[in-house]
Amino acid sequence: MDLTLSGKYEALQAEVRAFIREHGHKSPKVGGPRRDPDQKTRDWQKLLVEHGYAARTVPREYGGFGAQPDVLEAAVIADAFAEANVSQGLANQGISMLVPTLLEVGTEEQRRAYVGPTIRGDMFWCQGYSEPGSGSDLASVQTRAVLDGDEFVVNGQKIWTSSAHFADMMFLLCRTEPEMPKHAGLSYILLSMKTPGIEVRPLTTMTGRAEFNEVFFTDVRVPASQIVMSRGQGWHVANVTLKYERLYLGDANKMSVRLRKLVDLLQTTEIDGEKLMALPEYRDRLLRIQGEVMAWRAHQLRLRTEQADGVDSGVKRLIVKYGGTMLLWRMSALAVDAVGAAGLPYDPSETDDATAANLDYMFDIGMIIGGGSSNIQKNVIGERGLGLPREPKTQPAAAGGRA
Ligand SMILES: Cc1cc2nc3c(=O)[nH]c(=O)nc-3n(C[C@H](O)[C@H](O)[C@H](O)COP(=O)(O)OP(=O)(O)OC[C@H]3O[C@@H](n4cnc5c(N)ncnc54)[C@H](O)[C@@H]3O)c2cc1C
């Protein structure tokens, strides 16, 4: 097999490397803290969009670079950034989940209003899906939106809403047709987090940081035009977003970046005067992980190729969230073992390697649950992907739930 790049891709690689040589010093720290992005991060994002290294295939009329999907181009760009240890830009619920949803099922007005500011990092989104009684069984959400003239009036509560404490906007799954069967009674609405009647209460996770929130709605008025598709079609739209959420959470580029960090850690950390990289038990674990990251990357290229060709990837797509988040967690477990006792005086406000390793480890457990827990993912893979019999009826909804 000849894996050398052809002229077109070699030229792109040279172009990206030249860009990084000229501008790389402006990059925020790779894998930096998961917080409200600072000005440096926002400026970097704009520069990447302008040069087509972020939002490359988003059409120009919506603020993107307008390139045709090209799997190898995407891989060449990602590799050049990873090898230089430079940030590949923002990935979040707006950019990675809402933007592709609007491109797939949004109206022209919604795309023009929201895609540009979101990809440039000027507009941040949160996902209003889960409720205290509706997580895996997502279609049972109870937050109500009642049409009053040309506005919806929203009442109810969401929970585990990541980033709601700094988000500008929310994509909300709510019940608009209570008389309909549960999946047919939902709508998907876009609303500003500054609308009167919204209260955000932070929840602290085991990392020690307040990363998600409870969100309460009391008579929140939203223009009816903010609905995506139409009343009762919210379940369909929510599942379009969930499709992109699973790909986002299991993204192979994120793993390549994490692998690089892990290699650096094992090369610089010592026990009894010996580098961890020289110790067979660490090297063995690292090599297994490296093999899986490479396989995951090849899998992602295959999925992107199929997506560009309009092919339904079926079970190959369904394994991404489960496999990707489990692999990320094993990577952070190796980092925790590597930093050892240095991680014990854990303080989430610090940014040293030992803190970062422990923080990633605890955050990554959350990612195994967020976006649909592993149990549910396995049900989905079994039932939808492999055609196995459905769970007995006595169980709560599985593959019909947060899949
Ligand atoms: C870090 C983090 C960030 C999150 N961010 C967001 C966000 O931004 N927006 C948002 O809307 N939500 C968010 N969530 C919520 C997340 O989507 C839910 O936690 C998840 O869908 C599970 O729902 P639940 O917590 O209600 O658990 P439950 O649905 O009550 O499940 C409890 C347990 O039972 C298992 N279980 C349930 N049903 C079945 C079944 N049929 N078969 C087998 N096992 C089953 C589950 O796997 C789980 O282990 C986040 C969660 C985390 C951890």
Side-chain angles (χ1 to χ4, degrees):
M1 202 187 332
D2 179 8
L3 291 177
T4 49
L5 294 174
S6 69
K8 171 183 162 194
Y9 298 106
E10 235 176 19
L12 176 66
Q13 186 181 57
E15 175 204 306
V16 184
R17 286 179 175 165
F19 170 86
I20 292 172
R21 269 196 305 279
E22 189 182 343
H23 298 285
H25 63 283
K26 301 176 200 162
S27 162
K29 192 171 173 233
V30 174
R34 307 171 185 94
R35 289 183 183 153
D36 190 1
D38 58 13
Q39 196 54 46
K40 185 173 188 180
T41 306
R42 291 167 196 244
D43 290 346
W44 181 244
Q45 180 69 14
K46 289 185 180 60
L47 196 63
L48 295 187
V49 171
E50 200 182 298
H51 284 80
Y53 304 141
R56 188 171 180 81
T57 57
V58 172
R60 277 196 179 273
E61 61 268 36
Y62 309 129
F65 191 71
Q68 286 304 307
D70 184 320
V71 175
L72 264 183
E73 277 190 0
V76 164
I77 293 169
D79 285 353
F81 279 80
E83 80 186 7
N85 199 22
V86 161
S87 165
Q88 292 180 36
L90 291 167
N92 54 37
Q93 293 181 331
I95 291 175
S96 309
M97 292 158 52
L98 181 79
V99 165
T101 301
L102 291 183
L103 292 176
E104 196 170 320
V105 294
T107 62
E108 184 63 16
E109 291 72 30
Q110 288 164 348
R111 292 174 189 169
R112 287 192 185 274
Y114 298 124
V115 172
T118 305
I119 58 176
R120 287 194 300 275
D122 289 333
M123 185 180 277
F124 284 82
W125 292 78
C126 59
Q127 177 189 38
Y129 278 19
S130 303
E131 296 181 3
S134 307
S136 301
D137 184 13
L138 181 62
S140 68
V141 297
Q142 294 301 320
T143 294
R144 286 286 312 276
V146 177
L147 201 57
D148 178 22
D150 56 2
E151 288 179 327
F152 285 111
V153 182
V154 183
N155 280 285
Q157 185 201 339
K158 295 290 169 182
I159 196 168
W160 320 128
T161 321
S162 304
S163 313
H165 49 302
F166 63 81
D168 305 295
M169 300 286 295
M170 171 185 277
F171 45 96
L172 170 78
L173 187 64
C174 56
R175 191 159 298 282
T176 47
E177 330 294 311
E179 68 290 353
M180 297 291 282
K182 67 178 184 181
H183 292 84
L186 300 169
S187 294
Y188 187 106
I189 293 173
L190 312 175
L191 57 101
S192 163
M193 290 299 285
K194 307 216 167 44
T195 319
I198 297 181
E199 187 192 348
V200 177
R201 293 188 200 154
L203 292 168
T204 303
T205 69
M206 70 176 125
T207 63
R209 291 185 180 169
E211 278 153 341
F212 48 28
N213 305 270
E214 295 177 291
V215 183
F216 297 87
F217 302 85
T218 310
D219 294 333
V220 175
R221 301 190 82 89
V222 185
S225 58
Q226 290 295 93
I227 195 166
V228 181
M229 296 189 72
S230 35
R231 285 174 64 176
Q233 291 188 307
W235 184 243
H236 174 74
V237 185
N239 274 285
V240 172
T241 306
L242 285 173
K243 172 178 76 178
Y244 292 112
E245 180 171 22
R246 285 195 292 269
L247 297 175
Y248 161 51
L249 293 174
D251 179 19
N253 288 338
K254 196 161 55 184
M255 289 174 204
S256 303
V257 169
R258 196 70 86 73
L259 179 67
R260 204 198 141 89
K261 254 169 87 177
L262 203 47
V263 170
D264 286 348
L265 188 66
L266 298 194
Q267 277 171 341
T268 52
T269 310
E270 295 184 359
I271 288 183
D272 298 333
E274 268 212 276
K275 298 241 184 309
L276 292 184
M277 192 61 104
L279 303 176
E281 59 270 33
Y282 281 95
R283 231 178 22 225
D284 180 55
R285 277 171 75 186
L286 181 72
L287 283 176
R288 281 169 198 270
I289 284 173
Q290 185 186 32
E292 287 182 57
V293 171
M294 289 169 77
W296 215 247
R297 199 169 164 272
H299 185 62
Q300 183 158 301
L301 290 177
R302 176 167 68 163
L303 288 179
R304 287 198 176 151
T305 305
E306 291 184 350
Q307 193 182 2
D309 292 346
V311 174
D312 176 9
S313 303
V315 70
K316 293 190 275 294
R317 180 166 52 76
L318 298 177
I319 65 172
V320 170
K321 198 269 161 172
Y322 172 67
T325 52
M326 295 299 284
L327 178 54
L328 267 180
W329 185 46
R330 280 174 42 224
M331 291 167 90
S332 48
L334 178 53
V336 166
D337 288 347
V339 299
L344 290 180
Y346 173 79
D347 173 352
S349 62
E350 297 294 334
T351 55
D352 57 282
D353 281 350
T355 302
N358 281 275
L359 203 141
D360 282 347
Y361 181 80
M362 291 185 277
F363 187 85
D364 290 344
I365 295 176
M367 290 299 97
I368 292 172
I369 302 166
S373 71
S374 278
N375 313 44
I376 298 296
Q377 298 304 309
K378 285 191 220 170
N379 285 352
V380 171
I381 293 165
E383 294 170 19
R384 283 197 202 159
L386 303 174
L388 298 176
R390 288 181 68 84
E391 282 204 23
K393 283 266 185 242
T394 47
Q395 297 288 330
R402 194 183 203 103

